[in-house]
Amino acid sequence: MSNLRKIKVKCIKVAQGSRHFYIVNLPAKVVTDISYVAVRGKDAEEGAVQRLLNPSRISGVKEFALGGGDFPNAMVLNWVSTTNNLNIADNFLSFTVEPRSAQVIDGQHRIAGIEAAIAERSELAELQLPIVFYEKLSTQQCADIFLSINTEQKPVPRSLVFDLYGVASQSQVDQAVLRARDIAMHLNESIDSPYESEIKGPSTRRRGGIALSTAVSAIKPLVEDNGIFEQVDISGLEMQKKVVLNLFCAIRSKYGDHWDDKSNVF
């Protein structure tokens, strides 16, 4: 026990309703060493509310971490160890770094992805992460918190995400989505396009038209790795724009005056 690492960090106590928690800043390696996932329906222990880990999501988080991505949202842990105490005194929180000291309530894929990134790049062990600690919550309490985070705090619309890809750092975006977005915006802005001013961005509030997320999702299979454009050796953005625009112009010409009919599936 004497060889185990001791941690002492400043903390902020927050009281909300009948519960309270502590906010701290910890090195990533400490977080991965003390936390574990208790899976609902698999692990017979109090506080088990998580689902099985998704390897593809872990891989995505790993690449995000290796690319220098930020993790501003706190991971939420439930301190459950009965032998390793979580000590709070004078606005400091201290504990011993021992495995399986805290269940993950929220952030399991981020933690697993960061752990995988650390294995590839050891300096990420010191990446500072915001952590929320609860203590010895019941399954019901963990479920309440998990549902609050994952149902009430809903993700932003995909159209906004895809629109922001146009201004975000290259390392933070899905390149196939970015290329599909560029083509969709060309369809929306070209005076020769059948979809001129018809593709709606995140701030557009009108009936009719096509959501940017719908257009991007439809175009993405053409431009992703091993997609149709790659198979026929059309890799340049300008050529891809022309091909997609010409396709829809040809379809519009077949519809003639009926292009704007509500029955037009395009």
Side-chain angles (χ1 to χ4, degrees):
M1 181 71 71
S2 60
N3 293 326
L4 294 174
R5 184 179 176 187
K6 307 289 185 178
I7 292 293
K8 184 176 182 180
V9 291
K10 288 185 176 181
C11 69
I12 299 173
K13 182 178 180 178
V14 179
Q16 293 182 347
S18 61
R19 287 191 286 268
H20 65 268
F21 55 84
Y22 301 93
I23 303 174
V24 300
N25 191 37
L26 292 175
K29 187 66 168 64
V30 171
V31 177
T32 61
D33 283 349
I34 65 173
S35 64
Y36 72 101
V37 174
V39 178
R40 176 76 173 165
K42 177 184 176 184
D43 297 310
E45 64 176 89
E46 197 70 15
V49 297
Q50 286 291 347
R51 67 276 202 204
L52 293 171
L53 288 165
N54 183 326
S56 65
R57 287 189 63 188
I58 294 172
S59 178
V61 174
K62 172 189 171 184
E63 294 306 316
F64 182 75
L66 291 172
D70 296 330
F71 295 89
N73 291 341
M75 289 77 162
V76 183
L77 305 182
N78 177 29
W79 194 271
V80 295
S81 177
T82 58
T83 58
N84 180 21
N85 293 326
L86 191 64
N87 302 302
I88 296 95
D90 300 325
N91 296 320
F92 279 88
L93 182 149
S94 60
F95 58 87
T96 301
V97 179
E98 292 183 12
R100 299 184 68 82
S101 291
Q103 296 169 336
V104 181
I105 298 178
D106 187 62
Q108 64 170 350
H109 288 98
R110 281 174 288 164
I111 292 173
I114 290 169
E115 184 173 30
I118 292 172
E120 187 165 319
R121 189 177 299 164
S122 61
E123 61 266 29
L124 288 175
E126 297 304 316
L127 177 68
Q128 296 296 298
L129 298 176
I131 302 297
V132 163
F133 279 121
Y134 286 91
E135 290 186 272
K136 296 179 173 60
L137 296 179
S138 66
T139 298
Q140 184 181 61
Q141 291 171 322
C142 287
D144 289 346
I145 295 168
F146 180 87
L147 290 174
S148 174
I149 293 171
N150 291 285
T151 60
E152 296 302 324
Q153 302 176 28
K154 295 180 180 179
V156 299
R158 294 179 70 197
S159 284
L160 176 57
V161 173
F162 292 161
D163 188 47
L164 290 176
Y165 274 10
V167 295
S169 301
Q170 293 292 307
S171 61
Q172 307 304 318
V173 304
D174 182 325
Q175 294 302 313
V177 169
L178 180 60
R179 175 59 62 90
R181 175 197 174 277
D182 289 342
I183 295 173
M185 295 307 296
H186 177 65
L187 290 174
N188 188 59
E189 296 166 359
S190 173
I191 60 174
D192 298 324
S193 171
Y195 297 109
E196 181 187 7
S197 300
E198 289 295 328
I199 297 178
K200 300 185 296 185
S203 60
T204 303
R205 292 289 182 269
R206 66 177 177 84
R207 302 180 70 176
I210 299 171
L212 176 62
S213 59
T214 300
V216 170
S217 297
I219 296 171
K220 183 184 176 185
L222 300 176
V223 300
E224 59 191 0
D225 289 344
N226 299 316
I228 293 175
F229 278 142
E230 183 176 303
Q231 294 174 29
V232 296
D233 198 26
I234 300 176
S235 58
L237 173 59
E238 294 306 315
M239 183 58 71
Q240 291 175 353
K241 286 180 180 178
K242 290 179 180 178
V243 170
V244 174
L245 178 59
N246 287 343
L247 169 64
F248 287 114
C249 284
I251 294 173
R252 180 179 60 179
S253 70
K254 291 295 183 180
Y255 271 80
D257 294 337
H258 297 291
W259 176 256
D260 294 321
D261 290 353
K262 291 183 179 180
S263 60
N264 180 5
V265 296
F266 293 99

